[in-house]
Amino acid sequence: MTTQSGNSADDAFWRRPTGPPADAPESAAGSPAPPPVPEIHYPGPPPSITPPPGWRPPLHVQPAPPRPLPGQDHAALDAEEGSARTLTYGVGMVGGAVVLVLMCLLCSRALF
Protein backbone atom coordinates (compact mmCIF):
# COMPACT_ATOMS: atom_id res chain seq x y z
CA MET A 1 0.00 0.00 0.00
CA THR A 2 1.28 3.47 -0.84
CA THR A 3 0.60 6.68 1.05
CA GLN A 4 0.34 10.24 -0.18
CA SER A 5 3.48 12.11 0.76
CA GLY A 6 2.02 15.62 0.37
CA ASN A 7 4.41 18.43 -0.53
CA SER A 8 7.66 16.81 0.43
CA ALA A 9 10.95 18.03 -1.02
CA ASP A 10 11.32 14.84 -3.06
CA ASP A 11 8.04 15.47 -4.91
CA ALA A 12 8.85 19.10 -5.70
CA PHE A 13 11.28 18.06 -8.42
CA TRP A 14 8.49 16.35 -10.38
CA ARG A 15 5.88 19.13 -10.10
CA ARG A 16 5.16 21.57 -12.94
CA PRO A 17 6.74 25.01 -12.39
CA THR A 18 4.28 27.79 -11.57
CA GLY A 19 6.19 30.78 -12.92
CA PRO A 20 7.16 31.76 -16.48
CA PRO A 21 9.99 29.81 -18.14
CA ALA A 22 13.45 31.20 -17.49
CA ASP A 23 14.35 31.51 -21.19
CA ALA A 24 11.08 33.23 -22.29
CA PRO A 25 11.56 36.75 -23.75
CA GLU A 26 9.68 39.48 -21.91
CA SER A 27 7.59 42.15 -23.61
CA ALA A 28 7.47 45.81 -22.64
CA ALA A 29 4.70 45.14 -20.09
CA GLY A 30 6.86 42.60 -18.25
CA SER A 31 4.83 39.53 -19.20
CA PRO A 32 6.37 36.87 -21.41
CA ALA A 33 5.75 37.34 -25.12
CA PRO A 34 4.01 34.49 -26.93
CA PRO A 35 6.24 32.45 -29.21
CA PRO A 36 6.03 33.34 -32.91
CA VAL A 37 3.72 31.09 -34.94
CA PRO A 38 4.95 30.34 -38.47
CA GLU A 39 2.43 30.88 -41.24
CA ILE A 40 1.83 27.57 -43.00
CA HIS A 41 -0.46 27.45 -46.00
CA TYR A 42 -1.19 24.20 -47.80
CA PRO A 43 -2.47 24.92 -51.31
CA GLY A 44 -3.85 21.41 -51.73
CA PRO A 45 -3.06 18.78 -54.34
CA PRO A 46 -2.39 19.88 -57.91
CA PRO A 47 -5.39 19.82 -60.21
CA SER A 48 -5.82 16.77 -62.39
CA ILE A 49 -5.93 17.44 -66.08
CA THR A 50 -7.43 14.89 -68.47
CA PRO A 51 -4.89 13.83 -71.13
CA PRO A 52 -5.76 14.43 -74.79
CA PRO A 53 -7.47 11.54 -76.63
CA GLY A 54 -4.43 10.37 -78.62
CA TRP A 55 -1.75 10.66 -75.95
CA ARG A 56 -0.63 7.01 -76.05
CA PRO A 57 2.14 6.07 -78.48
CA PRO A 58 1.09 3.85 -81.38
CA LEU A 59 1.52 0.11 -80.91
CA HIS A 60 3.44 -1.48 -83.79
CA VAL A 61 4.71 -4.83 -82.48
CA GLN A 62 2.19 -7.60 -81.87
CA PRO A 63 3.36 -10.56 -79.76
CA ALA A 64 3.39 -13.96 -81.38
CA PRO A 65 0.51 -16.27 -80.54
CA PRO A 66 1.29 -18.95 -77.95
CA ARG A 67 2.69 -22.24 -79.19
CA PRO A 68 0.66 -25.41 -78.76
CA LEU A 69 1.67 -27.59 -75.84
CA PRO A 70 3.04 -31.05 -76.57
CA GLY A 71 0.57 -33.90 -76.35
CA GLN A 72 0.37 -36.08 -73.24
CA ASP A 73 0.15 -39.84 -73.06
CA HIS A 74 -2.42 -40.27 -70.30
CA ALA A 75 -2.07 -44.06 -70.15
CA ALA A 76 1.72 -43.81 -69.59
CA LEU A 77 1.23 -41.09 -66.96
CA ASP A 78 -1.27 -43.30 -65.08
CA ALA A 79 1.13 -46.28 -65.19
CA GLU A 80 4.05 -44.19 -63.85
CA GLU A 81 1.85 -42.76 -61.10
CA GLY A 82 0.78 -46.28 -60.09
CA SER A 83 4.38 -47.52 -59.89
CA ALA A 84 5.39 -44.46 -57.85
CA ARG A 85 2.51 -45.13 -55.44
CA THR A 86 3.60 -48.76 -55.07
CA LEU A 87 7.18 -47.71 -54.30
CA THR A 88 5.99 -45.16 -51.74
CA TYR A 89 3.79 -47.69 -49.96
CA GLY A 90 6.65 -50.23 -49.97
CA VAL A 91 9.12 -47.79 -48.40
CA GLY A 92 6.50 -46.83 -45.80
CA MET A 93 5.82 -50.46 -44.86
CA VAL A 94 9.54 -51.26 -44.52
CA GLY A 95 10.04 -48.17 -42.34
CA GLY A 96 7.03 -49.08 -40.19
CA ALA A 97 8.35 -52.63 -39.74
CA VAL A 98 11.76 -51.32 -38.65
CA VAL A 99 10.14 -48.98 -36.11
CA LEU A 100 7.93 -51.80 -34.81
CA VAL A 101 10.93 -54.11 -34.31
CA LEU A 102 12.89 -51.37 -32.52
CA MET A 103 9.94 -50.64 -30.22
CA CYS A 104 9.62 -54.34 -29.36
CA LEU A 105 13.34 -54.52 -28.58
CA LEU A 106 13.27 -51.42 -26.39
CA CYS A 107 10.16 -52.57 -24.53
CA SER A 108 11.64 -56.04 -23.92
CA ARG A 109 14.84 -54.44 -22.54
CA ALA A 110 12.79 -52.23 -20.21
CA LEU A 111 10.86 -55.23 -18.81
CA PHE A 112 13.91 -57.41 -18.07
Side-chain angles (χ1 to χ4, degrees):
M1 183 170 161
T2 60
T3 58
Q4 185 73 17
S5 61
N7 290 332
S8 70
D10 293 336
D11 290 341
F13 177 77
W14 300 106
R15 299 205 184 277
R16 183 181 301 266
T18 56
D23 59 348
E26 293 193 13
S27 64
S31 63
V37 178
E39 291 293 325
I40 299 174
H41 177 69
Y42 176 63
S48 61
I49 301 170
T50 307
W55 70 275
R56 292 185 187 262
L59 182 63
H60 295 290
V61 178
Q62 293 291 336
R67 299 176 309 192
L69 293 174
Q72 295 179 352
D73 185 7
H74 292 287
L77 287 174
D78 290 340
E80 289 177 8
E81 183 179 337
S83 65
R85 186 182 320 116
T86 303
L87 176 69
T88 302
Y89 287 162
V91 168
M93 288 196 305
V94 168
V98 168
V99 168
L100 182 65
V101 168
L102 287 175
M103 289 294 291
C104 289
L105 286 174
L106 289 174
C107 289
S108 67
R109 286 280 193 167
L111 291 177
F112 296 114

